[in-house]
Amino acid sequence: MNLKPEPLAFELSSPGRVGVALPKRDVPAVPVPEALLRDELKLPELDELTVVRHFTRLSQKNYSIDTEFYPLGSCTMKYNPKANEAAAALPGWKGSHPLASDRCNQGSIELIWKLQESLKAIGGFEAVSLQPAAGAHGELAGVFMIRAYHLSRGDSRRVKMLIPDSAHGTNPASCTMAGLTTVTIPSDADGGVDMAALKAACDDTVAGIMITNPSTLGLFERNIEAIARIVHEAGGLVYGDGANMNALTGVLRPADVGIDVMHFNLHKTFSTPHGGGGPGVGMVGAGKALAAFLPGPIAGRKGEAYAMEVPERTIGRMKAFYGNFGVLVRAYTYIRMLGAEGLRRVAESAVLNANYLKARLEKAYPVKYPRRCMHEFVAMGNFADGVHTLDIAKRMIDYGFHPPTIYFPLIVPEALMIEPTETESKETLDGFVEAMLKIAEEARTSPELLREAPHATPVGRLDEVAAARCPVLCYRG
Ligand SMILES: *Cc1c(COP(=O)(O)O)cnc(C)c1O
């Protein structure tokens, strides 16, 4: 690997060098308005080959699932089959116009409808909406739906949303954005929801609970049915954060254990490349009580014809047109290729891979809640000589691995949240284990090696606080 930092495109600039040849003008010349002409931009002047080499070199410094193992907990960075991409790139999908009538878009609406039907079956839902563009967006839709439900019954006192302390940060954020107040429920010694605290928090001001199962600790919430019963008895509803459905597809239908409304991250479990803010879909599914409140329109079918229809008491639109349609094509392709059997095997293999890693690593990296995990587990990277999880993570980069999620969930000190996913081979998992064990050994024998890592990258350890507080977002030549 070339360890020099790349020069910026601006630094390669040479006055007068040109990289494009514009076609001959075939319309009358019109002067550009003075106000739009700016001298101070100092745009780089480069030839085509320099630009190609510059960006190709930069792209080779990228880390990706298509090049290496990516055990980033909670994010489900699994391999996305290329067949999904081929399907999404079919000219009929790519070229369909968002303003075309439902009659012209029958094929697109049929795909949406069929995907809705599959996801209803997987979750046990009454109806689903594919509008939201991300998990967090689905959460927001779900909390809006819960609020609208209570208000529709004339109950305006329900302003509290219960959220376990292991929850993803998007849960309290969505809840607050939807105008409700969050109440944190602690975890018990076993990593589950503390049932006594839950009961104590349940009164007639509770709108509902947001619960993640398996939790962000990678643990199955064994009391899920009792939790749903207690919240329902208090008049509240149950929101399920389905970001971890990779552990449950084909094994458990969330609606069967009392979930009223839930999001699935189609870009995680149902396989669309994500990260870096790319397009996603946070499907929301609902049971009987909330189906009429779903964001719309959603696809409907009458005989052989398909149409976009607005649910009766919809909270409204969450996204323009059909949402992120390309992601829907990928999810549909993925589900149809695997079938029900395949989806179940995905969950079983994801859980098996995580338990394999956990079993091989837990002596060197203790696990706070050591019971059998689901598709991920949370270990701890706390060593003597001031070596911390951050140092372990940075050292992993030297070994060619993307670090796991670190310092989350917040209730585990020095957390290392490891999610192998189902798509990795035993050889890859073993390579990862060997690197982790070597690093644990280095933590004892040469801690400075870890504290100064990474050593094998163009730039060393970054000042992450300064990068967040005073970001430099443009070239200051
Ligand atoms: C990823 C994730 C979310 C948020 O999903 P986005 O699509 O990133 O908005 C919410 N909860 C959990 C547990 C997650 O892992």
Side-chain angles (χ1 to χ4, degrees):
M1 195 198 293
N2 175 9
L3 292 188
K4 277 190 320 223
E6 274 313 303
L8 297 161
F10 292 90
E11 293 162 0
L12 301 169
S13 178
S14 175
R17 214 163 261 176
V18 176
V20 287
L22 295 176
K24 216 164 168 263
R25 193 178 63 235
D26 61 355
V27 291
V30 177
V32 179
E34 277 296 318
L36 295 182
L37 289 175
R38 286 183 290 167
D39 276 336
E40 75 280 9
L41 286 180
K42 293 203 190 73
L43 296 173
E45 296 174 77
L46 301 163
D47 57 281
E48 181 175 320
L49 176 59
T50 305
V51 172
V52 167
R53 287 195 176 147
H54 176 70
F55 284 108
T56 304
R57 272 200 308 270
L58 281 183
S59 76
Q60 289 168 341
K61 292 193 163 56
N62 255 350
Y63 195 99
S64 69
I65 308 159
D66 285 353
T67 51
E68 324 283 343
F69 181 42
Y70 212 129
L72 192 65
S74 211
C75 295
T76 309
M77 304 303 276
K78 63 192 192 184
Y79 174 68
N80 304 292
K82 297 298 173 236
N84 299 354
E85 300 304 313
L90 288 172
W93 303 130
K94 247 189 357 191
S96 66
H97 197 283
L99 289 175
S101 66
D102 281 3
R103 205 168 63 81
C104 290
N105 274 341
Q106 282 295 296
S108 305
I109 303 175
E110 180 178 351
L111 180 134
I112 295 174
W113 185 83
K114 287 181 168 168
L115 178 59
Q116 287 175 187
E117 291 300 303
S118 298
L119 294 166
K120 273 162 64 179
I122 292 167
F125 304 123
E126 181 80 8
V128 308
S129 168
L130 298 171
Q131 282 216 332
H137 207 201
E139 292 171 26
L140 183 66
V143 181
F144 277 147
M145 288 164 66
I146 290 176
R147 210 179 66 149
Y149 167 86
H150 291 307
L151 291 176
S152 77
R153 298 178 306 118
D155 187 346
S156 55
R157 277 176 316 170
R158 296 194 176 265
V159 292
K160 287 195 318 203
M161 185 63 83
L162 314 180
I163 302 183
D165 59 2
S166 59
H168 195 270
T170 49
N171 289 190
S174 308
C175 168
T176 306
M177 279 191 75
L180 299 183
T181 308
T182 65
V183 176
T184 305
I185 307 295
S187 299
D188 63 14
D190 214 21
V193 167
D194 184 313
M195 298 301 279
L198 174 71
K199 282 183 196 141
C202 276
D203 57 23
D204 61 2
T205 66
V206 165
I209 187 169
M210 295 181 88
I211 188 139
T212 312
N213 193 15
S215 72
T216 63
L217 293 163
L219 299 173
F220 188 76
E221 179 56 69
R222 289 185 283 207
N223 290 323
I224 182 69
E225 287 171 297
I227 292 168
R229 194 173 347 103
I230 291 165
V231 172
H232 285 150
E233 276 166 12
L237 293 171
V238 180
Y239 183 91
D241 178 332
N244 293 337
M245 267 310 280
N246 216 49
L248 293 180
T249 51
V251 178
L252 178 119
R253 301 192 312 167
D256 293 345
V257 292
I259 306 276
D260 298 297
V261 53
M262 177 169 204
H263 82 263
F264 289 173
N265 304 55
L266 298 196
H267 44 292
K268 291 180 180 170
T269 311
F270 300 98
S271 194
T272 277
H274 59 286
V281 171
M283 173 223 86
V284 248
K288 281 216 166 56
L290 288 176
F293 294 89
L294 281 168
I298 63 182
R301 178 178 172 173
K302 281 191 195 78
E304 288 302 298
Y306 298 91
M308 295 305 285
E309 296 166 348
V310 178
E312 206 182 310
R313 318 179 82 162
T314 184
I315 56 161
R317 249 192 196 280
M318 296 295 285
K319 192 88 177 81
F321 303 114
Y322 299 161
N324 282 331
F325 185 73
V327 179
L328 306 184
V329 179
R330 289 174 177 88
Y332 182 70
T333 309
Y334 182 73
I335 290 171
R336 289 305 300 264
M337 280 199 311
L338 285 168
E341 264 306 300
L343 285 173
R344 188 186 172 97
R345 258 203 335 271
V346 162
E348 289 168 348
S349 307
V351 171
L352 179 64
N353 280 0
N355 277 286
Y356 178 70
L357 286 187
K358 176 170 155 295
R360 289 206 59 196
L361 288 172
E362 65 192 335
K363 261 209 200 91
Y365 298 90
V367 173
K368 185 170 170 192
Y369 305 98
R371 63 178 155 112
R372 186 176 305 163
C373 68
M374 298 296 281
H375 65 308
E376 63 191 359
F377 66 101
V378 183
M380 294 181 282
N382 205 1
F383 291 87
D385 292 322
V387 171
H388 297 285
T389 277
L390 182 67
D391 308 309
I392 309 277
K394 296 294 182 191
R395 185 66 179 145
M396 291 186 67
I397 298 171
D398 287 339
Y399 280 92
F401 288 106
H402 193 288
T405 297
I406 57 173
Y407 298 108
F408 176 75
L410 305 174
I411 54 173
V412 177
E414 300 291 335
L416 278 161
M417 187 195 214
I418 301 171
E419 179 181 7
T421 81
E422 73 283 3
T423 55
E424 299 301 330
S425 67
K426 180 163 181 296
E427 290 77 9
T428 302
L429 299 182
D430 285 337
F432 175 74
V433 166
E434 274 147 37
M436 288 289 282
L437 295 180
K438 248 187 233 155
I439 293 170
E441 182 59 31
E442 288 172 354
R444 277 183 290 276
T445 54
S446 35
E448 68 297 335
L449 205 52
L450 274 68
R451 281 197 298 263
E452 286 158 24
H455 304 274
T457 47
V459 288
R461 200 165 298 197
L462 303 172
D463 183 344
E464 290 175 17
V465 175
R469 295 260 164 85
C470 328
V472 179
L473 300 177
C474 60
Y475 179 60
R476 292 177 181 165

